[in-house]
Amino acid sequence: MTISVAMTVNGKAVSGKVEARTLLVQFLRENLGMTGTHVGCDTSQCGACVVHVDGQSIKSCTMLAVQAEGAKVMTIEGLAPSAEKLHPMQEAFRDNHALQCGFCTPGMVMSAIDMVKRHNYELDEATVRRELEGNLCRCTGYHNIVKAILAAAPAMKSAGV
Amino acid sequence: MYDFAYHRPKSVADAIALLKGKEEARPMSGGMTLIPTLKQRLARPSDVVDLGDVKELAGIKLEGANVVIGGMTKHAEVATSADVKSHIPALAELAGHIGDPQVRNRGTMGGSVANNDPAADYPAAVVALNATVTTNTGKHAADGFFKGLFETALGEGEIVTSISFPKAEKAAYMKFPNPASRYAMVGVFVAKTASGVRVAVTGAGPCVFRVKAMEEALAKNFSSAAIKDIKVSATDLNSDIHGSAEYRAHLVGVMARRAVDAANK
Amino acid sequence: MTSATGIGARVLRTEDKRFLTGTGRYVDDLPLARATYAYFLRSPHAHAKIKSIDIAAAEKHPGVVNIFTGKDLVDAKVGGLICGWVVKDKHGDPHKAPPHPVMAVDTVRYVGDTVAMIVANSHDEARDAAEAIKVDYEVLPANVDLARAFDKGVPQVHAEAPGNLIYDWEIGVKADVEAAFAKAAHVTKMDIVNNRLIPNAMEPRAAAAEYDKGTGNYTLWSTSQNPHVLRLILSAFVLGIPEHKLRVIAPDVGGGFGSKIFCYADETMVCWAASRVGRPIKWTAERSESFLTDCHGRDHVTHAELALDKEGKFLALKVETIANMGAYLSTFATAVPTYLYATLLAGQYTTPLIYANVKAAVTNTAPVDAYRGAGRPEATFVVETIVSKAAAELKMDPAELRRKNFIPTTAFPYQTPVALQYDSGNYPPIIDEAMKIADYPGFEARRAEAKARGKLRGIGFSSYIEACGLAPSQVVGSLGAGVGQWESAQIKFNPTGNVQVMTGAHSHGQGHETTFAQLIHDKLGVPMDQIEIVHGDTATTPFGMGTYGSRSLAVGGSAIMKATDKIIAKGKKIAAHLMEADVADVVFENGTFKVAGTDKNVPLAQAVFAAYVPHNYPHAELEPGMDENAFYDPANFVYPSGTQICEVEIDPDTGIVEVIAHTAVDDFGNIINPMIVEGQVHGGIVQGVGQALFEGAVYDKATGQLVSGSFMDYTMPRADNFPSFKLGYKVTPCPHNPLGVKGCGEAGAIAAPAAVMNAVHNALAPIGVKHVEMPATPLNVWQSIQGAQRAAAE
Ligand SMILES: Cc1cc2nc3c(=O)[nH]c(=O)nc-3n(C[C@H](O)[C@H](O)[C@H](O)COP(=O)(O)OP(=O)(O)OC[C@H]3O[C@@H](n4cnc5c(N)ncnc54)[C@H](O)[C@@H]3O)c2cc1C
Ligand code: FES
Ligand code: FES
């Protein structure tokens, strides 16, 4: 079944033709060529595909493209305010060496931003670790990811994002 | 995934009409179980009826002595709802430990209860709190609702519209997560409500079940000491690489005692 | 350190920006016009005869472009996949080498063995069609149980490997070791299983290929850790495409940990089929496919005995190991449990006599090959758990027993009884520092406090040594390696003064683009933003061996240093000419050539410009251009060492083991970028703790199915399983490479399992538990506690 979908991705109106079975992540990667969002599993557990839909973090491998009809989608590509300036969370990941191969990174960053906001910019280490339940990383041992998120929380607050 | 026809009705009536009119139509709430199942090609529905736009299914209300939660209510909403937190904090706590934050942002109470995964958390709460499951056709008491492995009392074209939980005097849920999937390997919900004390166990067997011996002991003395010698039989319990039936039986005891202690706090 | 971005500086990574903004380019991200998509039909059986394959119905499915089966490869005379390391058994005979067809022809030997390739206009269509292929299997008895592999009557995996034996190999003199045991005051014995692991790099393996009809050139994009080696294997052994007609590109790769070293069936097929399909082909593994078909790691069954004298000095070590190869021999499989394992059994100790016997078995399971540490974690696990067990039996402090047996700092270079000559090391300060960081003296108080809360607290040591920086070519050649293990570098200045550095190493998370640039910056004074590190493309980089075995910096970095020497030497001549000075008087400092004692100077960029615009140039003596190549073949392995201390708390009611603290103090020689090194250690520790507490591949003994075939069943370490780690360093520079560096990529994973399990055993000893097998899952621990209680009751 071919269906037309339209949504806003990173502030831009986009549309396309998909099958009912097309996943949101496929729509982003294949229809829109936005390959920053990754697929790391087929059981909805790794979090490499996390994006924001209407302000909430979700796994784009477990949502149909048609379910995002009319939604506001934010992906890793849309975070940095300009070519020179990164989002405070991206900045913190870089400053704290919270990424190695980079494959889990987009999902980690998207989950991290959502987590910081939900906790009103105030988190401790145990909370960060628990909130990362849906994101797997095989490279970093999580140590520096946790550090980065703890560092980003106040930075996001003062940047007002 | 096999392809299917996709519908997004706006009312329960339209949804039911779609479900009944098609040869193999499946309702979809959060899709957190249905989509992974479809991705593995374990199901081949002709039609998927997305309940996402059905407003009647959303929201949490207080009705007398009950907290009524709409079928489409997300786990994250239950976990953070002020009403749930103040009247049945154990239920909010349970919802806050289902899956991960992204799963909680989409997965719903209706979907979870209808799906009746043997390792799901909500069924324990529904049974222990003696909740009532409301559907488009009527009401189901908790005890008769969960029938077996992935099996419920729901009929063809019947969907969960809301679940009504009596407020609890005391309640707590203790979950021993499967180390890999983090679903409940053993989850015990202990509740003291107007209708008495109930102990419901999920994850351990093919379907949620009550431990009557514990309930009776706790009715007399609501303390973990009262159940410390009550053993659950391993016969009929699940066994897999993460937990033998004996281990699960043992954990039921441990989790039940910890739940009672938590409920007494 | 010459500057804030030179050697030793905590330089933020150059590569991060693209990964953080979603602009990294992994294989699956490639936009290939008119691409087709491949799907592989895999065997559902652990062992079966293929009686027939009927593709007729599938071919008629919408979108199908081509379907290939093993027979097509036979007809096209495609070779089999190879094992590149010939291990000679104890009689001097080469190991058994059963054929490894790219796709099964008449027999499948494990669940996941490749049966057919479907190429279609979309992934979904290819998968739809795969379901229409009818394979008539005659199911055969299978064996997935390593411990039983050599038993009588066990199903035979290959006719070419009678008794399922690939080799029976030994090192050391058994009689001498037996004699030492006869004189021992104490013998500690143990039986251990080194659990089978599934690597699970977060990016699933992927391949894409394109064939250019006009030139006859193939391009293969692969998630490879070593594109040149992959090309060599495909060209010389499997597909016969000449090397110069095949370009292999490994773009951004999302982690490897060994699993992306090897030459796999699927990438081979994608490449081969590209010319037949006539359109580009893309394939990306689904995670469940990765579980079935990526090479797994570890999987040993071992009996070990340690002989000690009455003072606690080690007299001899005896080890018998059965190692699982899986159903076929993967690229380096044979070397892992022999030369990368038994040669490490001396550990940090003076044990004078060691004998090891390793028997390699085939079973109906996925192939097993190198996984982070490869052989060395298994060796360290044997040595470090038996040493701790001996200490417990002798009621000695485990640190004290280790210290008593450490190779003295004055004894380096030190020849071990198992072939290796350790170049350098200084072990006592490492364990001292680790004990200080971990507050070892305070442990008993913490144990008592935990006990009051109903928890069992334990502490465990692991003092590892590893041999990495693979490897001196002559040495590995004499041991059967099919390749040399040098590394290459090319430094190519552009006329405007910026520089491209081509390396044969490959980065899939290790941060070469930053670390290698630091070397160039430090040595040549070129600003970081003027340096580009190029890797992963056989068309643009010199032939190199890739990245594994913690070799990139020690070997690849050394090649870069050699090339910088050549640049400086040439630059000096140009500068001497420009300054009208004698070359002998020219010095190079901070990026500038100077004549000592004068103010004459020529910045490197000026010399480079002169080399490309040689109007005023010593033509008689020098060629124009500034482009130098170097190859570096190391004189020896490098020998990082360290001590990890793990502290755990066990809930006896549930069996849950919680890691409370984990300390690692390492000697990696000189450190180029401490931030990157720490990251490597963190990741390694988590993989090591993962092996000890969480991860384990389980095949069902009756059906041969992989039970732990997804993240639903295979426990991946998650953030909430760990505390933050405590790290420390000691430095003894490597004496034989120009940077004085040792490797750091595998150390964490090598040391951690023993530290964790020693802590678990230490925690459980007071309640009588003698042994817990890895992974120490809640179930395992609980069952061990039950066993001990039953034994006590009897
Ligand atoms: C990574 C991950 C981890 C998870 N961990 C846990 C966990 O720890 N504990 C736990 O309990 N669950 C867990 N889940 C499952 C999750 O809670 C699901 O959201 C839930 O089980 C199903 O809810 P849903 O709304 O997503 O249902 P859907 O996936 O939409 O539907 C599930 C099934 O119910 C049917 N259905 C849906 N809505 C209705 C309705 N209103 N009436 C009748 N039938 C309906 C569908 O047809 C389908 O068969 C996890 C899921 C994932 C992906
Ligand atoms: S791809 Fe793994 S959770 Fe979405
Ligand atoms: S950085 Fe490689 S998986 Fe996280």
Side-chain angles (χ1 to χ4, degrees), chain A residues 43-45 59 62, chain B residues 26-36 51 57 71 75 97-100 103 106-112 114-115 119-122 154 158-161 175 181-184:
Chain A
T43 49
S44 311
Q45 277 158 316
K59 290 178 170 172
T62 317
Chain B
R26 286 280 283 277
M28 174 164 78
S29 292
M32 291 295 106
T33 294
L34 185 60
I35 293 174
L51 304 178
L57 298 177
H75 307 331
H97 285 87
I98 297 176
D100 53 56
V103 168
R106 303 229 17 110
T108 69
M109 177 168 289
S112 176
N115 191 52
D121 296 300
Y122 274 138
L154 292 174
E158 184 178 2
I159 62 167
V160 176
T161 52
K175 173 175 183 173
S181 73
R182 305 259 176 129
Y183 275 74

Side-chain angles (χ1 to χ4, degrees), chain A residues 99-105 137-140, chain C residues 202:
Chain A
L99 61 153
Q100 290 182 25
C101 78
F103 197 78
C104 71
T105 309
C137 174
R138 197 56 153 163
C139 297
T140 63
Chain C
M202 288 320 299

Side-chain angles (χ1 to χ4, degrees), chain A residues 38-50 59-62 134, chain B residues 39:
Chain A
H38 296 155
V39 175
C41 75
D42 47 10
T43 49
S44 311
Q45 277 158 316
C46 75
C49 62
V50 171
K59 290 178 170 172
S60 63
C61 73
T62 317
Chain B
K39 285 205 299 193

Side-chain angles (χ1 to χ4, degrees), chain A residues 70-81:
Chain A
K72 288 197 179 65
V73 178
M74 174 70 92
T75 72
I76 188 77
E77 287 98 336
L79 286 181

Side-chain angles (χ1 to χ4, degrees), chain C residues 403-415:
Chain C
R403 265 204 208 94
K404 201 184 260 281
N405 287 284
F406 278 158
I407 295 164
T409 307
T410 51
F412 293 95
Y414 179 82
Q415 179 63 50

